Amino acid sequence: MRGKIDFIGAGLIIATVVPLLLALTFGGHSYPWGSPVVLGLFAGSAAGLLLYIFNERFASDPILPLELFKNPVFSTANLAGFLVSMSFMSTVAFLPLFQQLGQGVAATASGLSQLPLMAGLFGSSILCGRMVSKTGKYKAFMIGGVIVTFAGIWLLSRMHAETTRADLAWRMLVLGIGLGPGQSLFSLAIQNAMPIERLGVVTSSSQFFRQIGSTMGVAIFGTFLTAHLNSGLGKVMPGVDVEKLRAMGGAAHAGAAPVLP
């Protein structure tokens, strides 16, 4: 039996996710958090979610059946994948920025600093995959990976301007080791917990939540970075006009020569 494409559900997913990401991107940067634009985007995202839930309850062939969330493995694994992907993408996006602006490292060197992360990720992913193939058990590897991931994030949060490359490398290696098991085991757990006829939708939903986690991680932590940068400049450089600096940066980005005070 051929299924029907749930175009309404797909459109409502877009109507939910896009305004949310725009609100997280604009909030505290382009517009204040309490501005009508940001609040309107959050309200639009919430309305899209409610309409999506209502539509999926009555759709003949829903794009993401709501009853899947009653399965604890499906819900827990997708939530964990969402958080792990958020951590991974945020680290990759902002760590080079910290090195270049906070430590004065060249762009090439900051890019090479990601190699320990990749080495740990690939190594632990391959090793855990082989161990799961031999033992048939994956829960311990998944839980252990999440614990090591958050330990690696904590270690990275302890860095400062004088942190050496060697010190950074082993911290990145720890984070990579923690991230490795989640690259394949979350999808594997979900696939094994659901009936075979649901294999396509649960696999695609796992990828969807991980991609959304990556996107939201960059948006959320980018907002935190902007907020702390503005307040931090005021502490380090008392009397500095942060808004003027931002305007100068925007003019320089647009190709105009900034006018120094």
Side-chain angles (χ1 to χ4, degrees), residues 12-216:
L12 290 173
I13 287 179
I14 297 174
T16 300
V17 174
V18 172
L20 176 61
L21 295 179
L22 289 175
L24 294 173
T25 302
F26 292 158
H29 180 65
S30 300
Y31 301 95
W33 283 106
S35 67
V37 173
V38 175
L39 294 179
L41 288 170
F42 278 127
S45 177
L49 178 60
L50 292 176
L51 290 173
Y52 172 77
I53 294 174
F54 178 81
N55 175 77
E56 296 302 275
R57 291 176 63 90
F58 301 100
S60 59
D61 194 6
I63 191 170
L64 180 58
L66 298 179
E67 62 267 19
L68 295 178
F69 292 95
K70 297 179 181 179
N71 187 301
V73 175
F74 179 85
S75 301
T76 304
N78 277 327
L79 176 61
F82 176 89
L83 296 175
V84 170
S85 296
M86 179 184 290
S87 305
F88 171 63
M89 201 63 201
S90 300
T91 302
V92 172
F94 295 113
L95 186 60
L97 185 64
F98 164 76
Q99 290 184 275
Q100 294 175 38
L101 300 182
Q103 296 182 311
V105 176
T108 303
S110 67
L112 291 174
S113 68
Q114 307 291 316
L115 290 178
L117 172 67
M118 296 296 109
L121 191 152
F122 287 134
S124 63
S125 179
I126 294 171
L127 179 61
C128 288
R130 294 181 64 87
M131 294 297 294
V132 170
S133 298
K134 290 183 178 180
T135 63
K137 300 179 179 181
Y138 50 79
K139 184 179 294 185
F141 298 104
M142 294 171 61
I143 296 175
V146 172
I147 294 174
V148 176
T149 295
F150 285 104
I153 294 172
W154 181 83
L155 290 171
L156 289 175
S157 71
R158 302 295 93 190
M159 295 190 308
H160 46 78
E162 287 75 31
T163 301
T164 63
R165 289 194 197 176
D167 197 8
L168 172 63
W170 72 266
R171 296 168 193 256
M172 294 285 284
L173 181 63
V174 172
L175 179 60
I177 292 174
L179 290 170
Q183 299 306 304
S184 58
L185 295 186
F186 287 125
S187 297
L188 180 65
I190 292 173
Q191 291 168 352
N192 287 337
M194 306 303 292
I196 189 66
E197 63 269 15
R198 295 291 194 183
L199 187 61
V201 68
V202 298
T203 302
S204 61
S205 65
S206 174
Q207 295 298 320
F208 171 77
F209 285 114
R210 290 171 62 180
Q211 293 296 328
I212 291 298
S214 299
T215 306
M216 289 188 63

Side-chain angles (χ1 to χ4, degrees), residues 217-240:
V218 174
I220 292 172
F221 290 110
T223 300
F224 289 158
L225 174 65
T226 302
H228 286 288
L229 179 63
N230 291 344
S231 60
L233 282 176
K235 295 178 181 178
V236 177
M237 303 169 63
V240 66

